Amino acid sequence: MAQLAARKPKKTFREKINEEHIAGMICTAPFTIGFLMFMIVPMLISGYYAFCDFNILQPATFTGLNNLRMMFADAKFWKSLTVTLYFAFVSVPLRLVFALIVALILLKTTKITAFYRAAYYLPSIIGGSVAVAILWKRMFAIDGTINVLLRAVGIESRLAWLGRTDTAIWTLIILAVWQFGSSMLIFLSALKQIPTTLYEAGEIDGANGWKRFFRITLPLLTPTIFFNLVMQMINGFLAFTQCYIITQGKPMNSTLFYTVYMYQQSFEYYKAGYGAALAWVMLLIIGIFTALLFATKRFWVYEE
Amino acid sequence: MKTKKIIGRTLYHILVFGFAIVMVYPLLWMVFSSFKPTNTIFTTAQELLPRTWTLDNYHNGWKGFANVGFGRFFLNSLVISLLATLGTLASSSIVAYGFARLRFKGRGLLFSAMLVTMMLPAQVLMIPQYIWYQKLGWVGNYLPLIVPYWFATQGFFVYLITNFIGGIPKDLDEAAKIDGCSTYGIFFWIILPLIVPALITGGIFSFIWRWDDFLSALLYVSKTESYPVSLALKLFSDPSSSSDYGAMFAMSTLSILPVVLIFITLQRYLVEGIATSGLKG
């Protein structure tokens, strides 16, 4: 210690980095650097390439708005956009409704509720894995588990679930809804935070079960519902792995997710400039969509 | 009245239990199928339990493909997941300390940036990042799968730990400061030991997400002997390389085993993490 005290300039340095406003910047420096290095810089670079003809390996040539023009004329782009929006708008609300219903049912604590919760939660823990995607592909095959089980209970089914344009997307939607467990847990803990005094007051005022749900429970859950709706819609727009492994966009592009199309363009056809433009357009769509959702917030989300 | 109650309760349990079975049935089916002789899996698909139990699928699957065994793939996944998780926890906790306890210029702006990273999934950055890593010469090795995580790039973890530190009384910091503890000393000696539960929760999530990560492996890992399990499994299941469904299900089962084990033993932390991070708007 005495040695350190003797060296005066070093001590002032130590004092300086210990000051709150300097220390704050030092502590958060990893994030600042990471945010610039791994988010902002890549976005800016790709922002430039979005206006270029670029195949990753050779230098880019600036082509102005050509990529955007190509996009508007590209039927596959529109197809993938509609498929993705359809997937997100169907699967996310379905998953949230399921999660809420099951959360309400499991709110009543019995001795084996913990087991039930675990069983319902397990799929959302492993649902994103390649293993489950492979399993799903086999389950919905013509000779797969679903058809065999349907026949076992007397329903004659030889449907090629993954081979028909009207059913293939539903295999992906079912897989997404199957993973309602984590939303269910979020609802469960939100439900537990509702003060019982509110329900007691409602009871005194003569509100029955349904009325209590729609007048007390649901309004108090709206902030949770809103937050999860925003996050899950964004994730729904950007689903990749399951589509990439299970359907590859087939049949006839009826399950072609936007991100998979983006991947194909960039890494299978080597049109990285076009891919970068696609990524930016998706970012804009997400931004606009999120802003719209926030604009509706004051009409239906309860604020304390 | 009493019998009505009993009937109601029984009905409740039958329904809830039945639905729970439906939920986990696909997984049970996969696990039991992996113990069936491979040529009987789809001929006896309606039966859950194997008529004859066999370990052949595990034996065959473990050999892997292209002369690389599945043991190697598992080791790769383990190395990537552990290094990325360690980096996430180390960087996120010091950053969270800065956000939760220190006032400095630009704090509000940085915090908003952090919230934005929470809402930006990796997929939208897939092509921008690829182009950037290509310029850095990182494509083809593990750097893109590990290095970014050492810079607190996942807002979820920063947010989780910031909230947790917010719940720790400031009196402790003040006391330590009076005793001559520096700002950094307070983090290491006071805060770090107290946020262990949040680190466990975050660690579990990070590990599971890294373990399951398929997209970045697909983009950046090129050599077969460097494949993590997720990528190896995908190629293993491609019709061109194998139609041995038994081996496929056996390796799939093994690949989810670490996650399921974590789930069973550390469920409490997972539930807490979900509850605290999913509620705030």
Side-chain angles (χ1 to χ4, degrees):
Chain A
M1 275 312 268
Q3 221 178 1
L4 278 175
R7 274 192 251 151
K8 222 172 176 200
K10 194 147 197 184
K11 206 183 165 208
T12 49
F13 173 72
R14 285 185 61 145
E15 269 170 7
K16 206 165 182 186
I17 60 163
N18 208 19
E19 276 170 43
E20 192 172 335
H21 68 280
I22 304 282
M25 284 190 237
I26 293 175
C27 285
T28 51
F31 174 74
T32 316
I33 297 168
F35 183 66
L36 291 174
M37 276 282 287
F38 303 117
M39 309 244 164
I40 298 297
V41 169
M43 288 310 286
L44 289 179
I45 292 178
S46 79
Y48 169 68
Y49 285 125
F51 297 102
C52 291
D53 189 7
F54 178 49
N55 67 0
I56 297 176
L57 304 171
Q58 279 145 342
T61 46
F62 190 80
T63 54
L65 290 173
N66 200 27
N67 282 329
L68 213 58
R69 266 197 294 274
M70 255 163 65
M71 215 180 285
F72 277 104
D74 181 358
K76 237 175 149 181
F77 158 75
W78 291 109
K79 180 73 188 170
S80 70
L81 193 59
T82 17
V83 168
T84 307
L85 291 179
Y86 181 77
F87 171 77
F89 276 93
V90 174
S91 67
V92 173
L94 265 182
R95 181 165 52 198
L96 289 180
V97 168
F98 247 90
L100 183 55
I101 292 172
V102 177
L104 287 168
I105 292 171
L106 291 186
L107 193 58
K108 191 167 92 178
T109 337
T110 63
K111 273 174 204 144
I112 46 173
T113 313
F115 163 77
Y116 292 149
R117 278 180 201 162
Y120 292 143
Y121 179 43
L122 183 63
S124 56
I125 276 287
I126 52 164
S129 65
V130 172
V132 166
I134 292 171
L135 169 68
W136 225 251
K137 195 174 174 179
R138 289 309 310 162
M139 271 175 45
F140 285 94
I142 299 185
D143 59 345
T145 328
I146 297 291
N147 279 347
V148 172
L149 283 177
L150 283 176
R151 283 203 291 274
V153 295
I155 303 167
E156 192 48 44
S157 172
R158 298 197 185 276
L159 255 178
W161 299 92
L162 293 166
R164 295 172 49 130
T165 51
D166 54 342
T167 51
I169 187 75
W170 280 93
T171 62
L172 298 176
I173 291 174
I174 291 170
L175 178 54
V177 177
W178 183 56
Q179 297 167 46
F180 68 78
S182 53
S183 314
M184 172 197 77
L185 288 182
I186 292 169
F187 283 136
L188 265 174
S189 61
L191 283 168
K192 279 183 195 153
Q193 283 177 7
I194 298 176
T196 45
T197 48
L198 282 178
Y199 290 111
E200 283 155 16
E203 210 155 350
I204 291 165
D205 290 344
N208 61 16
W210 285 110
K211 223 171 190 172
R212 280 205 297 270
F213 174 74
F214 283 109
R215 295 279 166 80
I216 301 170
T217 316
L218 205 54
L220 287 174
L221 280 181
T222 47
T224 313
I225 296 175
F226 177 78
F227 179 66
N228 285 285
L229 190 67
V230 173
M231 298 300 272
Q232 295 192 21
M233 283 304 264
I234 294 175
N235 278 305
F237 288 152
L238 295 164
F240 178 83
T241 306
Q242 311 305 342
C243 166
Y244 183 80
I245 292 174
I246 300 173
T247 64
Q248 290 267 350
K250 285 173 252 185
M252 288 169 68
N253 303 324
S254 66
T255 62
L256 184 65
F257 281 6
Y258 195 89
T259 46
V260 174
Y261 184 53
M262 207 159 79
Y263 176 88
Q264 287 176 347
Q265 283 293 337
S266 309
F267 303 112
E268 285 170 20
Y269 310 136
Y270 299 106
K271 289 192 202 162
Y274 192 53
L278 285 170
W280 267 96
V281 166
M282 190 34 134
L283 198 67
L284 284 179
I285 292 173
I286 289 176
I288 292 168
F289 177 79
T290 312
L292 282 178
L293 262 185
F294 270 93
T296 68
K297 199 177 171 193
R298 65 195 174 98
F299 296 112
W300 63 279
V301 178
Y302 177 83
E303 305 257 12
E304 273 163 275
Chain B
M1 196 61 202
K2 210 171 177 195
T3 43
K4 208 174 163 189
K5 213 172 176 183
I6 291 171
I7 291 172
R9 208 176 279 170
T10 321
L11 217 63
Y12 170 86
H13 282 291
I14 289 173
L15 276 175
V16 176
F17 185 79
F19 191 54
I21 295 296
V22 172
M23 286 292 289
V24 293
Y25 190 86
L27 300 170
L28 292 178
W29 183 84
M30 179 175 83
V31 172
F32 284 118
S33 292
S34 71
F35 293 106
K36 290 178 180 177
T38 184
N39 55 351
T40 68
I41 289 177
F42 286 100
T43 53
T44 64
Q46 71 278 19
E47 296 163 26
L48 189 59
L49 295 176
R51 284 181 207 168
T52 45
W53 293 74
T54 169
L55 283 174
D56 284 357
N57 298 324
Y58 286 85
H59 187 74
N60 293 336
W62 194 252
K63 287 182 206 147
F65 56 90
N67 289 324
V68 186
F70 254 89
R72 180 62 192 258
F73 301 139
F74 274 93
L75 191 68
N76 293 338
S77 273
L78 199 66
V79 168
I80 298 168
S81 308
L82 284 181
L83 284 177
T85 298
L86 203 65
T88 297
L89 293 181
S91 58
S92 301
S93 51
I94 183 90
V95 170
Y97 171 67
F99 280 136
R101 282 293 200 256
L102 305 169
R103 299 281 165 269
F104 56 95
K105 240 187 229 161
R107 178 179 168 277
L109 192 71
L110 268 187
F111 196 75
S112 317
M114 191 270 294
L115 292 179
V116 169
T117 67
M118 254 177 100
M119 301 179 86
L120 262 192
Q123 295 90 320
V124 81
L125 289 167
M126 147 170 103
I127 288 152
Q129 281 178 338
Y130 185 92
I131 296 172
W132 175 231
Y133 294 149
Q134 171 85 23
K135 286 201 184 303
L136 292 176
W138 285 12
V139 171
N141 61 48
Y142 285 163
L143 291 177
L145 279 61
I146 295 167
V147 177
Y149 298 101
W150 285 84
F151 289 89
T153 41
Q154 286 178 301
F156 172 81
F157 299 102
V158 180
Y159 186 74
L160 182 84
I161 302 171
T162 305
N163 273 352
F164 200 87
I165 296 177
I168 299 171
K170 274 195 179 149
D171 315 4
L172 291 170
D173 302 30
E174 303 295 339
K177 207 180 240 170
I178 291 164
D179 289 348
C181 205
S182 71
T183 316
Y184 309 96
I186 292 172
F187 171 71
F188 283 108
W189 303 115
I190 310 290
I191 300 293
L192 209 51
L194 287 172
I195 59 170
V196 168
L199 293 180
I200 296 175
T201 303
I204 296 167
F205 275 103
S206 169
F207 185 84
I208 292 177
W209 289 343
R210 288 310 102 219
W211 185 269
D212 281 346
D213 180 33
F214 170 70
L215 181 57
S216 32
L218 179 71
L219 290 174
Y220 300 115
V221 183
S222 44
K223 277 186 283 206
T224 312
E225 66 260 30
S226 313
Y227 283 175
V229 173
S230 56
L231 190 56
L233 213 50
K234 157 77 175 93
L235 294 174
F236 193 54
S237 77
D238 277 344
S240 50
S241 57
S242 149
S243 55
D244 184 349
Y245 295 120
M248 203 170 87
F249 288 143
M251 291 306 108
S252 295
T253 303
L254 283 185
S255 81
I256 58 169
L257 194 64
V259 177
V260 173
L261 284 180
I262 291 174
F263 173 74
I264 291 169
T265 51
L266 299 168
Q267 212 197 106
R268 188 165 59 91
Y269 291 99
L270 274 172
V271 172
E272 268 165 31
I274 285 188
T276 51
S277 59
L279 289 173
K280 305 282 158 55

